[in-house]
Amino acid sequence: MISSGQRPLLFLDVDGPLIPFGAEPWHYPTYPAGPGPRGAGTPGADANPLLERINPAHGPRLAALPCEVVWATTWMDDANDCIAPRIGLPRLAVVAWPEPSATDDQDERDGLHWKTRALVDWAAGRPFAWVDDEIRDTDRAWVAAHHPGAALLHRVDPRRGLTDGDYAALDAWLRQLS
């Protein structure tokens, strides 16, 4: 059983899970930032037109999951400035990516995603779910061999982003931990 101080982590990528891409542009609904907390005065709120693809319903759905959400994206802290206010989330912790190394070059040749080692290190044994559109079986096998806690590596279809089915799978997995 996990105490409230040890809530599982949910490492969240942005491009793919929150900002769908890869289909024809007219396929995606848009959600312009309106007045108030999701739009007015948000630094960079209008800087990237793809931000309009982020469904504001993601914020409450992510907040309702029994976990600590952490940005695991190349957006870094820009996710807190541009995305969190848009969907009604507070500032979240952000994974700081290490500088590329020779190990990363070998990992790439072996098919391991460049985020995998850093996420396992950041989790430090805590249970975690990782939501990304680039997760592969190689990542799952590596995490299973190197992470002592429970882990769910959940791949999202980047053309659709997070769906009801993805939220149901995450919620079920997170709730079975407690």
Side-chain angles (χ1 to χ4, degrees), residues 95-106:
V95 175
W97 305 114
E99 291 297 319
S101 69
T103 301
D104 296 322
D105 293 339
Q106 183 59 50

Side-chain angles (χ1 to χ4, degrees), residues 111-136:
L112 189 68
H113 195 283
W114 62 269
K115 292 180 182 178
T116 307
R117 285 179 187 269
L119 295 179
V120 168
D121 288 346
W122 210 95
R126 283 173 68 181
F128 72 86
W130 173 22
V131 176
D132 204 306
D133 60 301
E134 296 180 342
I135 294 169
R136 298 171 286 229

Side-chain angles (χ1 to χ4, degrees), residues 159-171:
R159 294 167 297 171
R160 299 179 67 207
L162 280 165
T163 64
D164 291 343
D166 296 314
Y167 281 108
L170 291 166
D171 187 63

